[in-house]
């Protein structure tokens, strides 16, 4: 809001006015969040007419077109697609335009997922800027800044995209002039917060162009253009004019630009250059028409990113861990809410829940989850008050969606007569009071799941019963967090996209839930432990035997029982100490990680408590600075599960769940959990790109800053392996991860920093984060073959844990209306095989026509559909989870009949296959085909085989997008 007031609204108002004043002028607009705030709250009717005209003339061009320019390192593919779809839906509905070029100039490093997404969205070219300084210098020297990128090994040339890396000047006009001590080429100066200056005079306004200095200006500009021309293969030079927070006074900007450009073109013979206003699309069109043959880049990404040896941008992989966690929880709740609402609308079109209000509730969370994907959002590289804005928007959106789901489940009118209704999605602060409680558990995945949900209760004597009154396996134990509460673990078995209802009752005497018993072990001084332990403490389920060493209270080894492979495995917390004084050397901040030396162990003593029961054993380890310390800063709660006969416990049995408690840290400390194993991994690490594909990360022996430059983002998955065994880590939020030694993997869990770097201080960008964080990681140990089968479904099971909603009723038995059927365990509205993931099932509400000519015509005639949202169009995406050749069975293409897949929702009337964000009919989508060494013929590429009679074959790594319409809607 402050940015809108200080400059952003003025950018759009003045640029639109100035474009109308000169037919030659052009402009590109990128992020839709600011544009939509301007369009909805600031733009006049005249402005709006002018925008329509400028778009038709091609003088205003939307590039990327997402809600934001998303970060590429720590975001999940689902959320990247969401924010892109959110922006594209608005642009297509409002203007009938579809962005075809990217402008990813500011994310800190480039992922190989992004080129694939942009290709799937119908883009013709991709543009990035921030890659490693030494790599960029090398590519620049050898004219290799442009290439055709095949970001996905499985989709390869079918979804390749021409990619342009900006040169060393990046996306800003050169800031200095040889003949002036003011900024260069920024005639409107620098934006001022919180209020624009009354007199219109801003700091650092460039010298106005006059007859006296225009030749000097021209020489400076031409010299820079020629320097850059030497780095590219064609004689077209992209010269970005602007920077952060520029063009808020477009009139002074364009009038000076006009004078300079006219002068250069009048003297082009002597200067050797002609210049023109252009959009990104104009530039790429010029390069494309040169018809050159381009090199191919494979699926290697550009992470991590360093701007010089001691500026490794790897700190932000962990910065503001709490925000990273909330952003992912919000995304997961949105995913559940979307499919829940879609089913409700299909099955109960006349139901009592107001659809328009429900859509607004979902939209508030779509907006919040989209905006936090910004490259200064989920990254943790914002000031505290901006972080608070993101958090508040997420929490508000989550509250709305929880309310919506609760109102769908409980017919509020009936319930109110029967007494008070509590409805909330379970969080650790909601204690079930001592009355009968209905717990409703929704499984948002399109697979049957067997898992535990946790509910906080105030008694240890509890019974849990299903809809038919049968007793349900459950275990109750003392809560880790609170002396007076208990944690009730309920074993739930739920089919895809279905919910079950459980009755939780306090019992007198009669016992149903198993009460776990706790054994506390003496705190051990790990610095003086004898080397060899006589006896080890075993914790066993059907899949693993985990041994703990009573001498140290630390983990000792894990045996995978099926193959009898044992891996020695210990875990410890360490801290990197970092410098906060720029006078003393490199600093760590929200962006950078610059450790002073190797990580230092934090605790000299470990306490141990083992809480064991029939269904689960929880090992609680507390890490103290010394044997007599009162409080611990670190704790690990390790849970392994035992599933009773008759339940499918394969995924549950194979995961070792760990929850960490970290903080508050001391200042200028970065906390890591290091897992050291006996595996001979040759220090090779694997990490995921955005939960979509895996990258190989060999350790690079840099002379300077090798610790920080070998950190990588883990969004959902990381693993190490030797010839026989793989240790996988699955996570519910992003972290930095590294392998600093053979057989080791370390995860950065938390950072707390302060420094005196002037730029950081003036932007309030110190990371003095005194919070306690509680991230969760699931470990899977096994052969490569077994872990391959388990880790995709397990990662999604962690991402999309069941949603728990409860209502307590005093008075008569509540009537739960059959609004969404509660499916029995065996029947499910939508079930997919384990290698396909239901990426999206939602009702977007867009009012646009899926016939492009019709959509454009109705906009030009001023007939955009106003009024109610369209509830008849369902957006469906299905993603193949495996790479070609990754698994003999799961890597096969899968043929799906969409009619029978969706019959649980209703009778399918019509299916249209669309581009990734829904704005193109795939039959009319033709992307530019750039000539490469492999495929010399240039032409258009049409990338998918379209479905006949609702049957589609989904190949490895494909993400297929459909509009589905049902009978009777």
């Amino acid at each position: 809001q402050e940015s809108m007031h200080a400059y952003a609204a003025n950018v759009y108002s003045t640029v639109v006015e100035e474009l109308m004043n000169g037919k030659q002028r052009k402009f590109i607009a990128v992020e839709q969040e600011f544009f939509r705030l301007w369009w909805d709250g600031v733009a006049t009717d005249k402005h709006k007419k002018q925008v329509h005209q400028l778009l038709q003339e091609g003088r205003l061009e939307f590039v990327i077109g997402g809600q934001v320019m998303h970060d590429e390192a720590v975001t999940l593919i689902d959320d990247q697609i969401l924010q892109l779809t959110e922006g594209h839906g608005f642009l297509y509905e409002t203007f009938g335009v579809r962005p075809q070029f990217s402008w990813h100039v500011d994310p800190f490093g480039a992922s190989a997922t992004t080129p694939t997404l942009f290709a799937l969205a119908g883009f013709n070219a991709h543009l990035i800027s921030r890659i490693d300084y030494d790599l960029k210098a090398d590519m620049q020297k050898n004219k290799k800044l442009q290439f055709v990128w095949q970001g996905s090994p499985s989709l390869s040339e079918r979804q390749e995209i021409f990619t342009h890396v900006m040169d060393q000047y990046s996306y800003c006009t050169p800031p200095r002039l040889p003949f002036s001590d003011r900024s260069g080429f920024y005639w409107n100066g620098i934006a001022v917060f919180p209020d624009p200056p009354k007199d219109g005079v801003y700091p650092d306004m460039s010298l106005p162009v006059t007859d006296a200095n225009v030749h000097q200006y021209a020489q400076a500009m031409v010299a820079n253009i020629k320097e850059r021309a030497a780095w590219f293969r064609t004689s077209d030079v992209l010269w970005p004019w602007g920077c952060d927070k520029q063009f808020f006074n477009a009139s002074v900007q364009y009038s000076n630009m006009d004078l300079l450009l006219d002068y250069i073109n009048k003297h082009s013979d002597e200067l050797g250059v002609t210049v023109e206003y252009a959009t990104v699309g104009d530039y790429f069109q010029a390069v494309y028409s040169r018809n050159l043959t381009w090199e191919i880049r494979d699926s290697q990404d550009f992470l991590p990113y360093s701007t010089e040896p001691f500026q490794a941008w790897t700190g932000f992989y962990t910065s503001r861990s709490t925000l990273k966690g909330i952003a992912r929880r919000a995304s997961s709740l949105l995913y559940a809410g979307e499919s829940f609402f879609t089913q409700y609308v299909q099955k109960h079109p006349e139901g009592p829940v107001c659809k328009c209000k429900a859509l607004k509730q979902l939209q508030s969370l779509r907006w919040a989850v989209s905006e936090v994907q910004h490259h200064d959002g989920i990254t943790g590289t914002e000031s505290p008050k901006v972080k608070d804005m993101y958090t508040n928007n997420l929490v508000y959106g989550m509250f709305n969606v929880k309310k919506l789901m609760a109102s769908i489940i409980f017919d509020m009118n009936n319930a109110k007569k029967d007494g008070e209704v509590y409805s909330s999605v379970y969080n650790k602060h909601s204690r079930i009071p001592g009355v009968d409680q209905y717990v409703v558990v929704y499984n948002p995945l399109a697979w049957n799941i067997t898992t535990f949900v946790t509910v906080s209760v105030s008694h240890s004597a509890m019974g849990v019963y299903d809809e038919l009154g049968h007793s349900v396996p459950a275990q109750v134990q003392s809560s880790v967090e609170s002396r007076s509460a208990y944690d009730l673990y309920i074993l739930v078995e739920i089919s895809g996209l279905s919910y079950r209802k459980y009755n939780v009752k306090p019992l007198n005497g009669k016992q149903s839930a198993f009460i776990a018993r706790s054994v506390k072990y003496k705190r051990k001084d790990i610095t003086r432990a004898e080397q060899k332990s006589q006896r080890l403490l075993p914790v066993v389920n059907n899949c693993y035997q985990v041994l703990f060493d009573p001498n140290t209270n630390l983990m000792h080894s894990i045996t995978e029982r099926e193959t009898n492979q044992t891996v020695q495995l210990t875990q410890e917390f360490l801290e990197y100490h970092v410098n906060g004084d720029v006078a003393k050397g490199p600093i760590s901040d929200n962006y950078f990680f610059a450790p002073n030396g190797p990580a230092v162990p934090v605790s000299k003593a470990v306490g141990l408590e083992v809480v064991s029961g029939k269904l689960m054993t929880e090992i609680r380890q507390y890490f103290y600075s010394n044997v007599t310390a009162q409080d611990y800063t670190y704790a690990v709660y390790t849970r392994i599960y035992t599933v009773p006969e008759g339940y499918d416990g394969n995924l549950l049995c194979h995961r070792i769940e760990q929850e960490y408690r970290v903080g508050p840290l001391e200042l200028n400390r970065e906390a890591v959990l290091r897992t050291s194993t006996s595996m001979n991994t040759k220090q090779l690490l694997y990490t995921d790109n955005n939960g979509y594909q895996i990258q190989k990360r060999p350790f690079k022996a840099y002379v300077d800053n090798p610790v920080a430059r070998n950190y990588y983002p883990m969004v959902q998955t990381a693993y190490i392996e030797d010839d026989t065994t793989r240790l996988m880590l699955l996570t519910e939020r992003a972290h930095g991860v590294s392998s600093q030694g053979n057989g080791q993997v370390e995860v950065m869990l938390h950072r707390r920093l302060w420094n005196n770097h002037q730029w950081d201080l003036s932007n309030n960008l110190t990371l003095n984060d005194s919070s306690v964080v509680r991230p969760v990681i699931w470990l899977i140990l096994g052969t490569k073959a077994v872990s391959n089968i388990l880790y995709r479904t397990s990662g999604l099971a962690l991402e999309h844990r069941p949603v728990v909603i409860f209502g307590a009723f005093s008075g008569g038995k509540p009537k739960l209306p059959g609004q969404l059927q509660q499916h029995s365990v065996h029947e499910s509205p939508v079930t997919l095989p384990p290698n396909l993931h239901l990426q999206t099932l939602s009702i977007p509400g867009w009012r646009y026509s899926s016939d492009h000519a019709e959509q454009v015509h109705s906009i030009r005639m001023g007939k955009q559909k106003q009024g109610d949202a369209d509830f008849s169009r369902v957006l469906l995406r299905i993603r193949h989870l495996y790479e070609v050749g990754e698994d003999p069975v799961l890597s096969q293409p899968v043929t799906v009949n969409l009619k029978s897949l969706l019959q649980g929702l209703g009778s399918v009337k019509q299916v249209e296959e669309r581009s990734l964000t829904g704005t193109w009919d795939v039959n009319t989508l033709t992307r530019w085909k750039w000539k490469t060494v492999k495929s010399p013929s240039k032409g258009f590429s049409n990338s998918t085989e379209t479905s006949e009679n609702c049957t589609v074959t989904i190949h490895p790594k494909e993400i297929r997008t459909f509009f589905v319409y049902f009978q009777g809607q």
Side-chain angles (χ1 to χ4, degrees), residues 6 196 220 230 610 813:
V610 178
K813 271 220 156 168

Side-chain angles (χ1 to χ4, degrees), residues 4 12 16 32-52 55 60 62 90 94-95 864:
M4 280 299 284
Y12 288 113
V16 168
Q32 290 309 300
E33 175 135 344
F34 279 127
F35 181 81
R36 288 171 77 171
L37 289 170
W38 175 77
W39 184 259
D40 291 337
V42 180
T44 62
D45 287 347
K46 185 178 178 188
H47 282 140
K48 291 185 175 185
K49 275 178 84 147
Q50 291 171 336
V51 169
H52 279 282
L55 286 167
L60 175 63
F62 287 112
F90 164 76
T94 314
F95 306 112
Q864 297 108 300

Side-chain angles (χ1 to χ4, degrees), residues 24 179 185 187 209-223 225 241 254-277:
Q24 75 287 12
F179 57 90
F185 309 103
W187 293 282
V209 176
T210 61
D211 290 348
N213 66 20
V214 67
H215 186 67
Q216 288 172 293
Y217 257 117
Q219 281 182 312
M221 182 167 172
V222 167
I225 289 169
W241 207 317
Y254 276 111
S255 55
N256 282 281
M257 290 161 77
D258 285 351
L259 294 169
L260 182 49
L261 298 191
D262 288 347
Y263 181 87
I264 292 174
N265 286 335
K266 285 204 183 83
H267 299 85
S268 62
D269 287 354
E270 59 181 279
L271 293 171
V273 162
T274 59
V275 284
E276 64 180 86
Y277 285 111

Side-chain angles (χ1 to χ4, degrees), residues 353-363 403-404 871:
V353 172
C354 169
K355 290 194 292 211
C356 293
K357 182 183 169 198
L359 189 61
K360 283 202 169 67
Q361 290 172 311
L362 287 165
Q363 281 167 338
K403 265 197 335 201
L404 168 62
F871 291 96

Side-chain angles (χ1 to χ4, degrees), residues 27 223 334 356 419 457 614 629 701 781 858 875 950:
F27 193 79
L334 177 62
C356 293
V457 294
K614 281 185 179 156
L781 182 76
S858 71
L875 176 66
C950 294

Side-chain angles (χ1 to χ4, degrees), residues 5 8 44 49 92 228 256 275 394 503 545 577 592 602 715 723 783 856 910 955 961:
H5 173 67
T44 62
K49 275 178 84 147
Y92 195 54
R228 293 159 101 153
N256 282 281
V275 284
L394 289 164
N503 188 354
Q545 172 174 271
H577 293 207
F592 303 155
V602 288
V715 178
D723 296 339
T783 60
V856 171
Q910 190 190 348
H955 294 270
T961 303

